[in-house]
Amino acid sequence: MIDTMAPEVVLHSPTMLRPVAGRERVRAVFQILAELFEDFEYVRTFDGEMVTAEPGVVSTHALMFRCRIGDEQIEGMDVLDISDSDQIVVLTVLMRPMSGLHRLADSIAERMRANAPPPG
């Protein structure tokens, strides 16, 4: 999916306060998720027309997924806004249940602490 993203792609994630901007930063997030998610699979796709057009966006698609982190089952949806050059310009992730979202956020924070340089 990374290769289909625009260089200036923006990721909206339920685990982050601010959007992640730029293909390489999004790639780093995806690498963490690939390590955390088990049994990840896309189970449905939705293609639709834009109800209100965002500048530079010609279509929106959604991919429903399932995965788990440990014993916590997670369902989610990746909503992809596609530009007229056929690249993903905005990726919005939605997830449920709340317990799965908490597990994901805690796991990401734990990884980031483990990878942080020592103080001083």
Side-chain angles (χ1 to χ4, degrees):
M1 186 183 290
I2 294 289
D3 293 338
T4 63
M5 293 181 184
E8 67 281 357
V9 65
V10 175
L11 167 65
H12 297 276
S13 168
T15 62
M16 297 177 195
L17 294 175
R18 293 183 183 87
V20 175
R23 185 187 301 147
E24 292 312 309
R25 293 186 70 207
V26 171
R27 181 189 310 272
V29 171
F30 275 31
Q31 286 174 335
I32 292 170
L33 297 177
E35 295 170 9
L36 292 174
F37 287 162
E38 301 170 65
D39 301 329
F40 183 93
E41 64 177 332
Y42 283 112
V43 295
R44 289 187 186 169
T45 60
F46 304 89
D47 298 321
E49 296 179 20
M50 294 291 292
V51 175
T52 58
E54 294 292 325
V57 175
V58 296
S59 65
T60 298
H61 307 274
L63 306 171
M64 186 175 182
F65 64 85
R66 290 190 186 126
C67 63
R68 65 183 176 82
I69 298 175
D71 60 351
E72 189 70 49
Q73 298 292 322
I74 297 172
E75 291 181 317
M77 189 165 295
D78 293 336
V79 180
L80 314 172
D81 288 336
I82 310 297
S83 71
D84 52 6
S85 61
D86 208 29
Q87 292 184 307
I88 300 168
V89 289
V90 179
L91 170 58
T92 303
V93 181
L94 310 167
M95 299 177 86
R96 65 165 299 279
M98 184 64 82
S99 58
L101 185 56
H102 283 272
R103 172 73 66 91
L104 177 59
D106 291 346
S107 297
I108 290 171
E110 189 176 299
R111 256 199 212 213
M112 292 176 76
R113 280 191 302 273
N115 293 329

